[in-house]
Amino acid sequence: MKRSSGARLCATAAIGALSLSLLTACSDDGSKDTDSKTSASASAPAEASSSAPAAKALTKAELEKLLLAQGELKGYKVDSGDDTLPASKSVVKTDKPACNPLAWATAALAPGDTDASVGNTVAEDKTAAATAKPTDLADAFDIDMTFVGLSSYAGDGAEKAMKAVSDGVTACAGGYGLKADGENTKVTKVAEEKNSAKGDEVVAFTEDVDMDGAGKATFHAAVVRKGNTVATFYTVNFAAMTKGGDMGAVPAAVIDAQLAKLK
């Protein structure tokens, strides 16, 4: 890995979702039982009665209230994500349209067709541990940060969003090219994986990302539908990102706490 371009590497590995301040710090330290598709997702959900009103999408303001907030999950810090998440889908592009929902989901953006979406970041709070000060700089960056996105849909839009993600996992198994905030990334492999998240539908997957020709990094994502709301989770470990390898699974505590807030 070329240390002089470490910030670029971190940016592309994280699907363009990290702020320049975090990226610079990251790059400058050289030392440094349920299927992924639940039974509900295996087949199309039962059609609602013709007399039942169509689901209405929540507004952004309503979704903001459903995002995890600081103090609601012990051992984690919650941030608005304004400085770390892409502002819109227009800055996250792939070379295969079928892969767009995957790229959007990993950047806390709505994987389906809706304007009602919000996102934040949930990171381990090492200051809450018994040893508030890390023993070295490498330990300070050994932190899991999860990008969390919520999106809401009218009618059957949430089910369609989940299908788009599921179809994308299959269509993009051989990888795809990604451009985010001007940086190019090569995802070399996409694979379905298991996740025990409790929702109406669950699709979880891993992505192997080329680390600028210096090995690969494996990232984990989970997309969960609860009613007409879709929650996306994508985890990055800063220390692991500097040397490649597995970023680690999305923390179950983060998924459980966020889903508990959804109606």
Side-chain angles (χ1 to χ4, degrees):
M1 178 169 60
K2 295 177 286 187
R3 296 299 175 189
S4 62
S5 61
R8 295 175 182 273
L9 171 58
C10 290
T12 55
I15 315 301
L18 301 178
S19 68
L20 285 176
S21 59
L22 288 175
L23 294 174
T24 301
C26 170
S27 62
D28 285 346
D29 175 31
S31 65
K32 227 352 274 149
D33 298 32
T34 304
D35 256 354
S36 64
K37 299 175 187 174
T38 61
S39 56
S41 66
S43 59
E47 292 187 7
S49 167
S50 58
S51 60
K56 293 183 178 180
L58 298 176
T59 64
K60 286 189 176 183
E62 291 171 325
L63 284 174
E64 287 282 2
K65 294 179 181 179
L66 295 178
L67 278 171
L68 277 176
Q70 179 61 31
E72 292 183 334
L73 183 57
K74 186 177 180 180
Y76 289 84
K77 287 183 178 180
V78 179
D79 186 85
S80 67
D82 291 346
D83 295 328
T84 56
L85 299 174
S88 69
K89 294 179 179 179
S90 64
V91 298
V92 180
K93 302 177 182 296
T94 73
D95 59 359
K96 297 178 182 178
C99 305
N100 285 338
L102 305 185
W104 294 333
T106 61
L109 296 167
D113 186 14
T114 181
D115 292 325
S117 67
V118 295
N120 66 2
T121 61
V122 182
E124 290 180 293
D125 184 2
K126 289 213 166 185
T127 62
T131 305
K133 293 183 179 179
T135 57
D136 56 38
L137 194 56
D139 183 54
F141 283 100
D142 188 13
I143 294 175
D144 289 338
M145 175 180 281
T146 302
F147 307 142
V148 180
L150 296 181
S151 53
S152 185
Y153 305 80
D156 62 352
E159 289 91 338
K160 289 180 178 178
M162 294 299 294
K163 186 177 186 303
V165 174
S166 179
D167 289 348
V169 172
T170 300
C172 306
Y176 61 93
L178 171 70
K179 187 173 184 178
D181 289 325
E183 299 293 343
N184 293 311
T185 300
K186 178 60 179 177
V187 177
T188 59
K189 179 183 178 182
V190 177
E192 180 181 348
E193 74 171 349
K194 294 181 179 180
N195 191 291
S196 59
K198 297 176 178 62
D200 298 323
E201 291 183 82
V202 181
V203 178
F205 59 94
T206 61
E207 291 188 333
D208 288 350
V209 177
D210 178 58
M211 300 294 281
D212 206 16
K216 70 173 184 179
T218 299
F219 295 83
H220 298 254
V223 182
V224 186
R225 180 179 70 83
K226 203 167 182 183
N228 65 329
T229 300
V230 173
T232 63
F233 306 88
Y234 180 74
T235 297
V236 172
N237 181 287
F238 297 117
M241 197 156 47
T242 64
K243 57 187 176 184
D246 198 300
M247 296 296 108
V250 179
V254 175
I255 295 178
D256 291 345
Q258 178 59 79
L259 294 182
K261 292 195 67 174
L262 302 184
K263 299 176 182 180

